[in-house]
Amino acid sequence: MDTTHLSKFYKKSHTEKIDSLFLAGVISKKEKDSLMSQSLELDVETGNNMIENYICNYSLPMGVALNYVIDKEELVIPMAIEEPSVIAASSFAAKIIGSGGGFKTTVSQRQMIGQVTLKNVDDIHAAVKNVEEAEQAIVERANEAYPSIVKRGGGARSVSVRILEDDTDSGIPTFLSVHVHIDTQEAMGANIVNTMMEGIAPYIEELTGGKALLRILTNYATECLATATCEIPVHKLKTGEFSGEEVRDRIIEATQVATIDPYRAVTHNKGIMNGVDAVIVATGNDWRAIEAGVHAYASRSGQYRSLTKWSKNDKGDLVGELTLPLPIGTVGGSISIHPAAKLAHAILNHPKAHKLERIIVSVGLAQNFAAVRALVTEGIQKGHMGLHARSLAISAGAKGDHVQQVADILKKSKHKNLQRAKNILLNLLDEFDR
């Protein structure tokens, strides 16, 4: 990739941006032509077959975040999101983090978990023993239920058992949950796991003497974790009235607040998910499943906490770390049928699931750095409202060159709201008429 063509990307026109991506080697000639002709929308037939009661497409803007260096590889990251400032903040953070060597990532074994949850188990401990002794037979039966994943090198790997007991006086009975750990290869794997769980449920009932109540995957993918780390030279953190050391310490302290205060942690982690969700949506993955699993992971200690850790090393540089459960896929679902999702995978050079996990967790760490840095220095509104000004200009009715003209004046105004944007536009139109 020739990143020289991506210099001052944000200042280019729409056509120039697409040309730049092509010249940089990010997209092919075919993909360039598709973008130029705006032919990436879902057609009616595809949309009608994707969901029930289809009436139209609901579009989100898709852009690219720049400056990413992940495991020594330069990448352009596709992001689909309606919120202004997210992509700009992501690119800004990636540039600063790149000055310290970029992101380093690791991923755990990639396994999804299916559950058969049973009720009315008379002898819980005997049932647990029976399941544990029959582990190999359960694995074999699960694989027989979905042989194609076994042929591709995946399949059920192991079994574990959990007794589900409520420690309050709510009157909830005891349940037994049998977990099957499954390698779903490049798929997120919901259909694979659910088919396997339904296939083994009668056998699990025989082993436990209970009745299967639930037979489904869990989106709490604790065996599919991705971690990103970074080191930022302290002198790169200097901004305005704050020294690099002050910014570093304030980022660390703000994250400590998010670690002990759930009210702050929710917003802190929402900032992480701004970037994570944008990549997940762009690549055609299930952002709802990821959100549910990530927030459960943030609560694994018994209290909802910050997902990131920021500290300083012996040199005094800022060190960041983020771990997320990321059961994403690169095949299946809408990934291979949605034209924009296919473009997103092409921009990323068709990564395998392991690599896509590494990309997503890196974006989450960058997004968190950008948000917390802004919060503890000039405040979040300065950058956000600057970019939000264009949205207000459009809402006020501005078109063409007037959009940026209204936005530029609005950014310098004391009051940055829709009424002010309308007044600015009226003044510009009056001047134009004169």
Side-chain angles (χ1 to χ4, degrees), residues 64-102:
V64 290
L66 307 177
N67 308 318
Y68 272 87
V69 179
I70 302 173
D71 297 320
K72 299 182 179 180
E73 181 183 3
E74 292 182 319
L75 290 165
V76 171
I77 314 293
M79 301 175 75
I81 189 168
E82 85 295 345
E83 184 175 332
S85 82
V86 171
I87 294 177
S90 188
S91 301
F92 168 78
K95 186 173 184 178
I96 292 180
I97 292 169
S99 69

Side-chain angles (χ1 to χ4, degrees), residues 115-118 130-131 134 137-138 141-142 144-145 178 180 193-216:
Q115 292 180 289
V116 177
T117 306
L118 303 114
N130 290 343
V131 170
I138 295 171
R141 290 177 185 237
E144 287 170 3
V178 177
V180 182
V193 176
N194 294 344
T195 299
M196 286 184 168
M197 295 308 97
E198 292 178 1
I200 66 172
Y203 182 51
I204 300 296
E205 289 178 328
E206 290 178 23
L207 290 170
T208 62
K211 181 67 176 176
L213 178 66
L214 303 168
R215 299 153 293 173
I216 191 169

Side-chain angles (χ1 to χ4, degrees), residues 34-321:
S34 294
L35 283 166
M36 289 293 196
S37 62
Q38 299 184 356
S39 61
L40 292 171
E41 288 290 330
L42 279 176
D43 58 68
V44 172
E45 182 178 358
T46 303
N48 198 44
N49 284 307
M50 286 179 71
I51 63 168
E52 305 78 27
N53 302 337
Y54 171 84
I55 57 170
C56 69
N57 296 327
Y58 181 96
S59 298
L60 286 174
M62 188 162 93
V64 290
L66 307 177
N67 308 318
Y68 272 87
V69 179
I70 302 173
D71 297 320
K72 299 182 179 180
E73 181 183 3
E74 292 182 319
L75 290 165
V76 171
I77 314 293
M79 301 175 75
I81 189 168
E82 85 295 345
E83 184 175 332
S85 82
V86 171
I87 294 177
S90 188
S91 301
F92 168 78
K95 186 173 184 178
I96 292 180
I97 292 169
S99 69
F103 301 89
K104 297 177 182 177
T105 67
T106 58
V107 292
S108 69
Q109 60 178 338
R110 181 180 159 77
Q111 292 188 5
M112 308 307 167
I113 302 170
Q115 292 180 289
V116 177
T117 306
L118 303 114
K119 65 177 185 176
N120 301 333
V121 180
D122 293 332
D123 190 336
I124 286 282
H125 296 289
V128 170
K129 181 180 179 182
N130 290 343
V131 170
E132 290 175 343
E133 291 178 348
E135 179 178 14
Q136 188 57 39
I138 295 171
V139 167
E140 290 173 358
R141 290 177 185 237
N143 286 332
E144 287 170 3
Y146 213 104
S148 62
I149 190 63
V150 179
K151 291 180 181 178
R152 297 199 297 271
R157 299 293 190 233
S158 61
V159 176
S160 58
V161 193
R162 294 169 58 237
I163 298 173
L164 309 180
E165 294 179 299
D166 185 41
D167 57 4
T168 68
D169 296 327
S170 63
I172 295 175
T174 298
F175 297 94
L176 188 68
S177 185
V178 177
H179 286 202
V180 182
H181 308 265
I182 303 163
D183 179 353
T184 58
Q185 296 286 288
E186 289 301 304
M188 181 269 182
N191 290 332
I192 297 169
V193 176
N194 294 344
T195 299
M196 286 184 168
M197 295 308 97
E198 292 178 1
I200 66 172
Y203 182 51
I204 300 296
E205 289 178 328
E206 290 178 23
L207 290 170
T208 62
K211 181 67 176 176
L213 178 66
L214 303 168
R215 299 153 293 173
I216 191 169
L217 89 162
T218 171
N219 291 122
Y220 191 25
T222 53
E223 294 187 4
C224 187
L225 300 177
T227 299
T229 60
C230 67
E231 294 184 9
I232 304 173
V234 69
H235 69 272
K236 291 288 185 178
L237 297 172
K238 185 180 185 300
T239 178
E241 63 184 279
F242 297 101
S243 69
E245 288 78 10
E246 287 176 311
V247 174
R248 175 200 64 201
D249 292 344
R250 290 169 73 88
I251 289 173
I252 293 170
E253 290 162 350
T255 305
Q256 290 170 341
V257 172
T259 300
I260 61 175
D261 177 17
Y263 285 85
R264 173 58 203 144
V266 168
T267 309
H268 181 93
N269 291 342
K270 186 268 182 184
I272 294 169
M273 300 311 291
N274 277 344
V276 169
D277 284 346
V279 182
I280 290 170
V281 171
T283 56
N285 274 280
D286 186 348
W287 60 268
R288 299 160 302 277
I290 301 301
E291 281 273 353
V294 163
H295 294 301
Y297 192 71
S299 304
R300 66 193 182 280
S301 69
Q303 177 181 310
Y304 190 87
R305 300 181 185 276
S306 165
L307 287 158
T308 53
K309 297 176 183 177
W310 291 98
S311 60
K312 64 179 179 180
N313 61 17
D314 293 339
K315 296 183 294 183
D317 294 335
L318 182 66
V319 178
E321 180 179 339

Side-chain angles (χ1 to χ4, degrees), residues 239 242 373-383:
T239 178
F242 297 101
R373 175 190 171 278
L375 276 172
V376 300
T377 54
E378 73 268 18
I380 202 74
Q381 286 300 87
K382 181 179 178 182

